[in-house]
Amino acid sequence: MKFFGISNRIKIFSLAFCLISFSLQAQTAKQVVYGDDFVFNLDYETSFEAYGPVRYKDYFAFYNPVNFSIKLFDQESLSVASTINIAQEGPKSMYQSTGLMADEDDIYVFSYYKQSAHAVNEKGRESFKYVFKQEENTFGAYLATGTTVASANNEFIYVPILAGHDIKTMLADYRFPSIVRINKSDSSVSTFLNYPKNYKNMISGGLQGFISPTLNSKTESLVVSYPLSHTVFELTKNGVIKEHSMKSSAIDDFDGHYYKSQSDIKSEKSRAKYLENPSFSRLHYDAYSNTYWRFVNLPLTYSQMNQKEVIEAKARNYKVVVFDANFNKIAESDILKDINLTLSAPLVFSTEKGIHIYAKSQENEEEMRFKTLKIK
């Protein structure tokens, strides 16, 4: 009887421990929920092709490539407060500029052709610039497109490098660093972060190599996400590289993105592999909640892939995984069907109201609508 009593007490203790553990998990588990839409009121010049927003002083800034202008939106009314027309002629002009970036003091546009970032004054002319010097061993290009996600703080500018690829074979060369860092004090350039080891597999160039960096404004670390890697890489202010696992239940592996032979690669098949297999999309740091939001490209269905024309912006659905400041997973969403994270869409941004993502449906030409996600 003595041993029976001890056994029962152990069982009761174990059951109580499990109940307490479950209760604690229930208390600490977070859910991703929708908030109210975040809607900008557009003027007659601003189109849905406008790139942004980025936070600049007391404004939300969009870059409008249609007429090469920067639109500054008031943070309260979400309407255009002023316009900066980018000079297209003269010694301080920025001909056919692309993209947008801001730090605490300046707002920048990029030049794809000059591979440079230009601080812009109120008259739309260059105040100063940083040139991204190409290295001989870099096969790819800085500022691959106008939607390259670059970021800056008071000391550094970070710009992704898109891996180059052979036009004939469509094979990409992922051997070289993927981030260039410009020191603002002396304009010196350094490169960091080779692609993860699995990129040594046979992978095509393009979307599978489009990395997503995000700047942690509290630690001043840059955290970089690769489409085909569970691991993200943290580049600290001092140049130390740390690795963190940020997995999603939606992705087991990335085998579907690899080719078995070089002869199997075709440009149309490359896009199909990207669409019909899961991968990671944008990574966003939210300073308001001190969390990281890692979005997941969910695979398109068989019926979607067999349509005459596959438009990713309309067909793709997503999930998001949320991690705390120590890279511990705290939430994972259900399927998100009403957001657009394609490369042509504006940026993901955050306010005290939540994380805002470009809405898949933009039905009113006088508005630009963002869906809002938050955790509770």
Side-chain angles (χ1 to χ4, degrees), residues 178-189:
S178 60
I179 293 289
V180 60
R181 185 174 77 175
I182 299 91
N183 190 320
K184 288 183 176 180
S185 63
D186 59 10
S187 297
S188 60
V189 174

Side-chain angles (χ1 to χ4, degrees), residues 174 195-196 198-199 206-212 224-231 251 253-254 257 274 277-282 294-297:
Y174 294 108
Y195 277 82
N198 66 309
Y199 276 82
L207 298 171
Q208 285 89 342
F210 244 99
I211 64 178
S212 177
V224 182
S225 169
Y226 298 84
L228 308 186
S229 176
H230 293 296
T231 301
I251 304 178
D253 55 53
F254 304 97
H257 291 275
Y274 175 69
N277 289 288
S279 59
F280 286 106
S281 180
R282 302 279 178 94
R294 195 179 195 192
F295 291 87
V296 180
N297 296 315

Side-chain angles (χ1 to χ4, degrees), residues 167-230:
I167 297 177
K168 293 182 179 180
T169 66
M170 297 305 295
L171 280 174
D173 192 338
Y174 294 108
R175 295 176 298 168
F176 303 114
S178 60
I179 293 289
V180 60
R181 185 174 77 175
I182 299 91
N183 190 320
K184 288 183 176 180
S185 63
D186 59 10
S187 297
S188 60
V189 174
S190 53
T191 54
F192 297 86
L193 294 176
N194 283 20
Y195 277 82
K197 293 180 180 178
N198 66 309
Y199 276 82
K200 293 180 180 179
N201 287 290
M202 202 171 291
I203 302 171
S204 66
L207 298 171
Q208 285 89 342
F210 244 99
I211 64 178
S212 177
T214 188
L215 190 62
N216 184 319
S217 56
K218 298 182 185 297
T219 65
E220 298 190 22
S221 289
L222 186 80
V223 183
V224 182
S225 169
Y226 298 84
L228 308 186
S229 176
H230 293 296

